[in-house]
Amino acid sequence: MLESQLIDRDYRLEDQIEYIQRGDEQLRNEIIKAYQPYIARCVSDVCKRYIKKNNDEFSVGMIAFNEAIQLYSKDKGASFLAFAQVIIKRKVIDYIRKEQRQYMYPSLDVSEEEEIEDSPLEISEAKKIFQLEQESWYRKQEILELSKQLKEYKISFNELTKISPKHRDARESAVFAAKQLVEDPSLYEYVCTKKRVPIKRLLNLVSVSKKTLERNRKYILTVFIILTGDYIYLREYLEGVDL
């Protein structure tokens, strides 16, 4: 059985990815086949509907998963599946956008009298409206996903407006602290496992007081989640803060 073959290799998935990157094509095929259900789930999450193997979106997900195998590096700290999920979602979102743009102005079977001609300005404005509507939809999806993740850290989405630092320097300090958690593998693992900020260890890496870290810990965790997740649009809210 495929599963037993993978177990017999006695390697973590991240180690198996390294072997594939060194040229083990048989293992590549085994991994891709074994993780087809995972790929389908990632694609279904983006499409908000059940995706079958014969759907075009699934094929996009398979290609993205294979690309993730090539691009993955353990040095980045994230697990391979977390990294692959980001790549899959981005590729599927790009595919959906292209498909929607393709059908935005469908060809019409009309006579010359009925022919519709849009001015360049009208077309430009329509595209802007379409883009804004799409971005709004994706932001809402990211907010829903973030709300789910925040629950794992015992943070409610409604708390965010209350716990966000009011001053710019305080926000920058919190974002800097979150980056230390992302970039340090041991701290990253701690946060993902314990779902809390390692205050004492973090004090050695930042220039703020213990009291400040404790006061902003939920905001720091929220930024950590955004930085490590597939939150393309929510990251825009962090622009203006030194990321």
Side-chain angles (χ1 to χ4, degrees):
M1 297 293 293
L2 174 61
E3 291 79 4
S4 63
Q5 291 176 1
L6 293 174
I7 293 173
D8 287 344
R9 289 178 181 270
D10 198 26
Y11 294 122
R12 294 188 309 123
L13 178 58
E14 286 72 20
D15 295 324
Q16 293 173 331
I17 298 303
E18 280 194 0
Y19 275 88
I20 293 173
Q21 291 172 344
R22 294 175 189 171
D24 191 333
E25 292 302 316
Q26 180 182 349
L27 180 57
R28 180 194 299 272
N29 293 332
E30 291 176 0
I31 291 293
I32 291 176
K33 184 175 181 180
Y35 282 91
Q36 283 186 3
Y38 177 80
I39 296 170
R41 181 164 61 83
C42 290
V43 176
S44 297
D45 285 344
V46 177
C47 298
K48 306 304 174 187
R49 61 185 173 86
Y50 179 70
I51 295 297
K52 299 179 180 179
K53 292 182 179 180
N54 60 350
N55 292 130
D56 291 341
E57 292 88 347
F58 179 77
S59 298
V60 174
M62 289 276 285
I63 294 171
F65 187 84
N66 186 52
E67 182 177 332
I69 290 176
Q70 292 302 116
L71 297 176
Y72 178 71
S73 172
K74 288 194 293 186
D75 296 337
K76 295 181 179 179
S79 69
F80 169 72
L81 290 182
F83 176 76
Q85 183 183 46
V86 171
I87 300 298
I88 291 171
K89 286 189 174 183
R90 287 179 178 173
K91 294 295 183 181
V92 173
I93 286 173
D94 286 344
Y95 170 79
I96 292 173
R97 285 174 176 167
K98 289 177 182 177
E99 288 295 298
Q100 288 171 333
R101 282 198 295 267
Q102 178 180 344
Y103 293 107
M104 187 173 147
Y105 292 101
S107 58
L108 302 174
D109 184 15
V110 295
S111 64
E112 288 186 11
E113 292 79 14
E114 297 173 314
E115 186 175 353
I116 299 173
E117 293 185 0
D118 293 325
S119 70
L121 179 60
E122 289 173 329
I123 293 175
S124 176
E125 289 301 313
K127 286 182 177 180
K128 286 179 182 178
I129 293 172
F130 174 79
Q131 183 177 359
L132 288 173
E133 289 176 346
Q134 291 305 302
E135 289 180 356
S136 175
W137 185 87
Y138 285 118
R139 282 195 179 92
K140 288 178 181 177
Q141 300 310 308
E142 288 188 1
I143 289 172
L144 291 174
E145 182 63 28
L146 179 61
S147 297
K148 293 179 185 176
Q149 281 201 273
L150 286 174
K151 288 180 181 178
E152 298 177 13
Y153 290 77
K154 297 182 179 179
I155 303 173
S156 71
F157 196 82
N158 291 333
E159 281 184 281
L160 292 182
T161 55
K162 300 177 182 179
I163 65 177
S164 300
K166 305 303 179 185
H167 301 291
R168 180 184 175 84
D169 58 344
R171 290 195 299 272
E172 289 179 344
S173 296
V175 171
F176 179 79
K179 285 186 64 179
Q180 307 315 302
L181 299 178
V182 173
E183 294 171 358
D184 185 301
S186 63
L187 295 179
Y188 175 90
E189 186 66 26
Y190 180 95
V191 176
C192 290
T193 303
K194 304 290 186 179
K195 309 299 182 187
R196 62 175 184 263
V197 176
I199 300 291
K200 291 183 179 179
R201 295 170 63 184
L202 193 55
L203 280 171
N204 298 322
L205 301 173
V206 298
S207 59
V208 297
S209 66
K210 179 180 179 181
K211 183 178 179 180
T212 299
L213 285 180
E214 289 177 341
R215 183 172 62 246
N216 294 328
R217 61 184 178 82
K218 289 187 177 181
Y219 182 78
I220 292 171
L221 285 174
T222 301
V223 176
F224 173 87
I225 294 170
I226 293 174
L227 291 178
T228 56
D230 186 22
Y231 297 105
I232 300 172
Y233 291 99
L234 286 180
R235 284 186 184 221
E236 293 179 0
Y237 293 107
L238 298 177
E239 288 183 359
V241 179
D242 185 12
L243 291 176

